[in-house]
Amino acid sequence: MLTRRTLLGVIGAITLSVTAPAAMAQEEIYIPLISKGFQHQFWQAVKLGADQAAAEFDVRVTFEGPDSETMVDRQIDMLAAALANKPSAIGFAALDSQAAIPLLRKAAEAGISVVAFDSGVESDIPVTTATTDNVAAAALAADKMAEFIGGAGKVAVVAHDQTSRTGIDRRDGFLNRIAEAYPDVEVVSVQYGQGDQLQSTEVAKAILIANPGLSGMFGTNEGSAIGIVNAVREMSATDLVIIGYDSGKAQTNAIREGVMAGAITQNPVGIGYETVKAALSAYRGEKLPEIIDTGFYYYDASNIDEPKIAAVLYD
């Protein structure tokens, strides 16, 4: 026969067994990452790095982005949904460096640290930004372009957008370097393909038609660069120097085949890893640098198989 004290002890044990898992679930560290897209191999590599960090640091990470890098409204919806789940911290790669600020401000007011990645936000809300130095990387692309065309000629740019920080910095990094260092190189056109291969192909074809005798073209991301490659192939254009950005399979193949002269590769796995690591540090109240520079390299047929380059290619 159970005494009253024994019965209370049994009830207490049952209560503890029921509530303990709930308490443990509440202690889970959850870090969603909202990217600019999901279709390019670059973003798959960023996700890989985020997943590696999640496993290493024992946190739950989700990764999503809109179907197209033109879908700013869809990305904002994803950001709102992620914040509604009250995450421990959040990683965000802005398609539009201004549009997300009201939501990010609400996140900060709720005590949710924001880590920007790949593309920064024109605000002091993010506690840090894990990114490539896109201005310096695009300047290097300009140096390589000038080298290939002998320091003189007409060139054009197919950029992915003019609203994201990466789009702006890569465009301006290239243009400013040409303007300051290569007076005999003329940039005759800057057009936008929204990072989409098909749209960038049509943009590049229009540039080629309008500018006979063009010496080179620079594509500011994977979709832009492959659009240029497609246009050159479709129009059987010759003697055009193509410098790309990123390193999906189509670009590395184009370099191996001699269609593309070279490209800048980021370290997308490192971007994903450092974003999650920084978000965890922010959640713990640790101090972070304003920028986490994840590095970049120039690669072409001469060094594409070197170990340090092969390690950051994502094809």
Side-chain angles (χ1 to χ4, degrees):
M1 181 176 177
L2 292 175
T3 66
R4 184 173 183 273
R5 178 176 296 176
T6 303
L7 183 59
L8 288 173
V10 171
I11 293 172
I14 294 172
T15 301
L16 284 173
S17 67
V18 171
T19 59
M24 290 174 64
Q26 290 174 357
E27 293 170 3
E28 177 187 61
I29 297 174
Y30 167 50
I31 303 170
L33 270 62
I34 309 299
S35 79
K36 292 164 63 176
F38 207 73
Q39 72 277 37
H40 295 320
Q41 288 173 307
F42 174 83
W43 296 114
Q44 298 297 323
V46 175
K47 180 181 184 300
L48 177 62
D51 289 343
Q52 289 176 359
E56 179 177 337
F57 300 118
D58 192 25
V59 298
R60 182 166 73 91
V61 169
T62 56
F63 191 100
E64 62 179 335
D67 294 334
S68 166
E69 293 186 20
T70 63
M71 301 173 70
V72 175
D73 290 345
R74 176 63 180 139
Q75 188 192 48
I76 296 300
D77 289 343
M78 289 178 169
L79 176 61
L83 291 174
N85 288 326
K86 299 180 180 179
S88 307
I90 192 165
F92 183 64
L95 279 172
D96 187 314
S97 58
Q98 294 283 345
I101 289 177
L103 273 179
L104 297 181
R105 188 174 292 116
K106 289 183 178 180
E109 290 170 354
I112 300 170
S113 295
V114 177
V115 173
F117 67 98
D118 180 66
S119 204
V121 178
E122 293 180 6
S123 165
D124 59 0
I125 295 171
V127 294
T128 189
T129 300
T131 187
T132 305
D133 185 340
N134 285 292
V135 172
L140 176 58
D143 289 337
K144 294 296 182 180
M145 177 68 78
E147 179 183 332
F148 275 110
I149 67 175
K154 297 180 178 181
V155 301
V157 177
V158 177
H160 50 289
D161 64 55
Q162 53 189 325
T163 58
S164 73
R165 195 68 257 166
T166 58
I168 295 166
D169 286 349
R170 293 177 197 174
R171 177 198 65 196
D172 292 352
F174 183 89
L175 296 179
N176 292 341
R177 181 62 175 164
I178 292 291
E180 71 187 16
Y182 305 105
D184 295 325
V185 177
E186 180 187 0
V187 180
V188 296
S189 183
V190 179
Q191 301 294 330
Y192 302 91
Q194 305 305 322
D196 178 77
Q197 289 185 25
L198 295 178
Q199 190 171 339
S200 297
T201 299
E202 295 307 310
V203 166
K205 286 164 68 175
I207 292 173
L208 288 170
I209 292 169
N211 297 278
L214 195 68
S215 299
M217 297 181 75
F218 171 52
T220 64
N221 79 340
E222 183 180 340
S224 306
I226 296 309
I228 297 171
V229 169
N230 291 343
V232 165
R233 285 174 169 157
E234 290 180 22
M235 298 182 67
S236 299
T238 58
D239 300 323
L240 184 81
V241 174
I242 304 172
I243 302 292
Y245 205 113
D246 295 328
S247 60
K249 185 66 172 177
Q251 280 197 88
T252 56
N253 283 346
I255 287 173
R256 292 182 189 280
E257 294 164 9
V259 180
M260 181 180 288
I264 301 294
T265 181
Q266 303 181 81
N267 180 7
V269 173
I271 290 174
Y273 180 93
E274 293 294 341
T275 299
V276 172
K277 181 180 177 182
L280 178 59
S281 294
Y283 171 71
R284 291 172 172 168
E286 298 169 5
K287 186 174 178 59
L288 289 161
E290 183 179 349
I291 298 291
I292 298 172
D293 187 349
T294 53
F296 64 87
Y297 298 91
Y298 172 80
Y299 69 103
D300 56 23
S302 70
N303 68 351
I304 193 170
D305 293 316
E306 291 181 5
K308 72 175 183 179
I309 299 296
V312 293
L313 300 181
Y314 37 96
D315 56 10

